[in-house]
Amino acid sequence: MVRVMFVCLGNICRSPTAHGVFELVVRQAGLEHLIEVASSGTSAYHIGESPDARSMTAAQDRGYRLSHLRAQQVQIEDFEHYDYLLAMDIQNLTVLQQQCPLITHDKVKLFLDFGSVGENEVPDPYYGGGQGFDHVLDLVEDASRGLLTHIRSQL
Ligand code: 4NP
């Protein structure tokens, strides 16, 4: 089993989007029995909440479902359980690197390290307009394909 956790700040916009997109990518590849998908936030701001309505609408327009997800905060045990803790931006990468036990340091990466569009951060869409949510989806779809290719090569 390969275990992947996507991490942003609030776990209501970017990481639930990555969670929903990658979950479908994995299912379409027939690998849901081999790859576990989760998401979390480095902050406690939105624990227990559904994804942001703007993220759910933008995702739904492309055929992804996020409504079953609820925000949670990264726990210290997550660094042991998951094989990949993939941060949406450098701010959250830094927080994860500060929190993680030294032995798990290599599990913490930027999600867009697996992308091909030459950007390394998924910008926070929370305070912006609707097109920010579509841009998140563009980046997440691209990096999800790259991540699946990478994990397949390791199976
Ligand atoms: P996310 O977006 O990290 O992609 O879930 C945000 C959600 C909430 C806040 C910031 C970013 N906030 O400040 O409440």
Side-chain angles (χ1 to χ4, degrees), residues 17 51-64 66-67 133-134 137:
T17 299
D52 187 288
R54 298 165 295 176
S55 293
M56 286 203 277
T57 302
Q60 200 173 341
D61 286 348
R62 298 194 194 190
Y64 306 108
L66 310 185
S67 56
F133 292 85
D134 265 323
L137 276 161

Side-chain angles (χ1 to χ4, degrees), residues 42-124:
T42 56
S43 80
Y45 303 150
H46 297 279
I47 290 173
E49 293 180 23
S50 298
D52 187 288
R54 298 165 295 176
S55 293
M56 286 203 277
T57 302
Q60 200 173 341
D61 286 348
R62 298 194 194 190
Y64 306 108
R65 203 171 65 85
L66 310 185
S67 56
H68 58 299
L69 305 176
R70 295 294 177 271
Q72 54 178 1
Q73 187 177 21
V74 178
Q75 304 294 307
I76 193 75
E77 306 82 55
D78 294 332
F79 293 104
E80 194 182 319
H81 182 77
Y82 292 96
D83 301 295
Y84 296 86
L85 291 110
L86 301 178
M88 295 294 143
D89 60 22
I90 290 164
Q91 180 195 331
N92 288 295
L93 176 77
T94 304
V95 173
L96 291 177
Q97 286 172 334
Q98 287 165 348
Q99 291 179 341
C100 75
L102 253 190
I103 195 166
T104 64
H105 206 266
D106 290 349
K107 298 179 172 187
V108 178
K109 296 180 167 67
L110 280 172
F111 179 35
L112 294 195
D113 285 351
F114 297 96
S116 66
V117 297
E119 293 181 42
N120 63 354
E121 299 189 284
V122 183
D124 183 352

